Amino acid sequence: MQDLIIQSIGASSTAYDVIITFPTTYLVGTTFSLEDDDGAEIISFTSQKSFNSVTFSLSSLQKDSTYTIRINGSAYQNFTISSPVTRIDTGNTMNMNPGGGKASGTRPR
């Protein structure tokens, strides 16, 4: 695994950062995707390397909107954007944003 270096967005940016950490390492060929509340795909990729975290910044994300993380097409976890940087530790039941804001995250059943 390589070290992860994160540089936050600037104060004038209209994009939202999302940092997701998984409790397991996914293998080459794993598909990660993100959907909005309407089921529209926002981002999708098939990994070229093993990974245990995903970081992205998108201007199409909206504050107070809920998104679904999918791994290989299966719903993995939902979360809501509540600040410019949303951190999701999927191994924890308590997902925290900087400044103590809670990222509501629940795994679909």
Side-chain angles (χ1 to χ4, degrees):
M1 282 280 141
Q2 294 180 350
D3 291 332
L4 177 66
I5 299 172
I6 300 170
Q7 180 177 352
S8 187
I9 58 176
S12 63
S13 177
T14 59
Y16 287 92
D17 284 351
V18 177
I19 304 164
I20 305 167
T21 304
F22 297 100
T24 188
T25 299
Y26 289 99
L27 302 176
V28 172
T30 298
T31 300
F32 170 91
S33 60
L34 187 70
E35 291 180 353
D36 65 16
D37 264 347
D38 297 325
E41 189 173 87
I42 304 296
I43 187 173
S44 180
F45 68 86
T46 301
S47 66
Q48 302 298 308
K49 295 182 177 184
S50 297
F51 68 95
N52 66 357
S53 65
V54 175
T55 302
F56 53 90
S57 181
L58 297 169
S59 59
S60 60
L61 299 177
Q62 296 184 14
K63 186 176 180 181
D64 298 325
S65 292
T66 300
Y67 298 91
T68 301
I69 299 166
R70 291 191 174 274
I71 301 293
N72 292 326
S74 296
Y76 181 82
Q77 183 167 335
N78 297 327
F79 69 94
T80 301
I81 300 290
S82 59
S83 68
V85 179
T86 300
R87 300 177 199 277
I88 303 155
D89 181 352
T90 63
N92 268 338
T93 57
M94 190 87 168
N95 296 315
M96 298 301 286
N97 282 323
K102 184 179 179 197
S104 64
T106 56
R107 287 194 178 174
R109 297 200 190 271

